[in-house]
Amino acid sequence: DTAVSQTPKYLVTQMGNDKSIKCEQNLGHDTMYWYKQDSKKFLKIMFSYNNKELIINETVPNRFSPKSPDKAHLNLHINSLELGDSAVYFCASVDRDRNSPLHFGNGTRLTVT
Amino acid sequence: AQSVTQPDIHITVSEGASLELRCNYSYGATPYLFWYVQSPGQGLQLLLKYFSGDTLVQGIKGFEAEFKRSQSSFNLRKPSVHWSDAAEYFCAVVPFGNEKLTFGTGTRLTIIP
């Protein structure tokens, strides 16, 4: 029944590793996002995809690469993890044409040691 | 610069007391306006939204917000808070003609008995 689901919920890894976070929505929305929430709770948009096409790419390092195999999925792959990547990453989705509000997943807490 | 501001980082309120959380925006045209709540360790839940029309908007959990164009504000209110309202509250905007939901820095609400 979960509308926007992210896996894993927690991710602890060492610097230099490569990791992925997965996101799936079953709401039939056409647009999906990744947001990063830092230790001060500030939420910043990273990427947005509409029907598998990248439409927003904020100034995010190239080590972050989103991939959308279909409009229900938006995964985030991070190469060469750094300490500063530690944060909570939220996936969200929306039906852009209906101006509906974003629906958020419960977040993935990434800790880089 | 275009922005959304929440002036209060942390507010403490007694249970049963009234609450007002402030939100100001600076955009040329009236954006779409939202309030989200984040409970500890959870994702973001939409409380209410304003697109157009009646400037007093009712949301879930007994919250309401009033849009005041002259003050560029969208303050969140609740007449009587409950201990379960303790959370982080985010004001967010989607500028007119833009795709991007931009968040304020959040206000942490603490409820005391």
Side-chain angles (χ1 to χ4, degrees):
Chain A
D1 285 327
T2 304
V4 182
S5 59
Q6 299 177 226
T7 54
K9 187 174 173 66
Y10 299 98
L11 185 55
V12 181
T13 189
Q14 291 183 325
M15 284 175 56
N17 285 348
D18 304 337
K19 290 292 177 186
S20 292
I21 307 171
K22 296 186 176 182
C23 179
E24 175 182 5
Q25 54 94 4
N26 62 6
L27 297 165
H29 289 166
D30 58 0
T31 304
M32 296 183 72
Y33 299 79
W34 279 109
Y35 277 81
K36 178 181 179 181
Q37 186 174 45
D38 62 23
S39 58
K40 294 185 175 155
K41 302 287 188 183
F42 183 62
L43 279 150
K44 186 170 168 53
I45 190 169
M46 299 175 69
F47 301 102
S48 174
Y49 270 75
N50 175 259
N51 283 321
K52 303 193 299 176
E53 182 181 341
L54 181 68
I55 56 172
I56 294 176
N57 184 350
E58 292 294 287
T59 51
V60 177
N62 291 338
R63 299 182 295 102
F64 290 79
S65 53
K67 285 195 169 43
S68 181
D70 55 62
K71 72 175 189 178
H73 295 83
L74 180 61
N75 303 325
L76 184 64
H77 187 75
I78 315 171
N79 290 327
S80 303
L81 278 155
E82 301 177 357
L83 292 176
D85 298 332
S86 295
V88 182
Y89 293 84
F90 285 99
C91 178
S93 73
V94 69
D95 187 329
R96 190 167 65 158
D97 291 338
R98 286 195 285 138
N99 280 327
S100 59
L102 264 64
H103 290 254
F104 283 84
N106 285 332
T108 296
R109 181 174 294 278
L110 171 65
T111 303
V112 182
T113 61
Chain B
Q2 296 180 332
S3 66
V4 54
T5 305
Q6 293 179 248
D8 305 303
I9 296 173
H10 185 198
I11 284 183
T12 300
V13 177
S14 297
E15 191 168 13
S18 63
L19 170 71
E20 183 168 28
L21 302 181
R22 295 182 291 165
C23 174
N24 294 93
Y25 63 90
S26 60
Y27 291 88
T30 300
Y32 299 139
L33 298 156
F34 306 83
W35 275 98
Y36 282 85
V37 60
Q38 184 180 26
S39 298
Q42 300 296 313
L44 289 95
Q45 182 183 23
L46 179 72
L47 287 175
L48 45 79
K49 62 183 185 291
Y50 174 78
F51 288 172
S52 65
D54 193 345
T55 56
L56 186 61
V57 180
Q58 301 298 319
I60 63 170
K61 304 186 180 189
F63 285 92
E64 65 177 27
E66 186 171 12
F67 167 63
K68 291 186 177 179
R69 186 188 306 274
S70 61
Q71 298 177 18
S72 296
S73 69
F74 188 56
N75 294 348
L76 182 71
R77 301 195 295 246
K78 187 169 184 177
S80 175
V81 297
H82 185 261
W83 64 265
S84 61
D85 293 325
E88 192 89 20
Y89 290 80
F90 293 93
C91 181
V93 306
V94 175
F96 184 77
N98 196 310
E99 300 281 344
K100 203 165 58 170
L101 182 69
T102 300
F103 286 89
T105 49
T107 298
R108 183 159 59 98
L109 176 64
T110 298
I111 308 294
I112 55 176

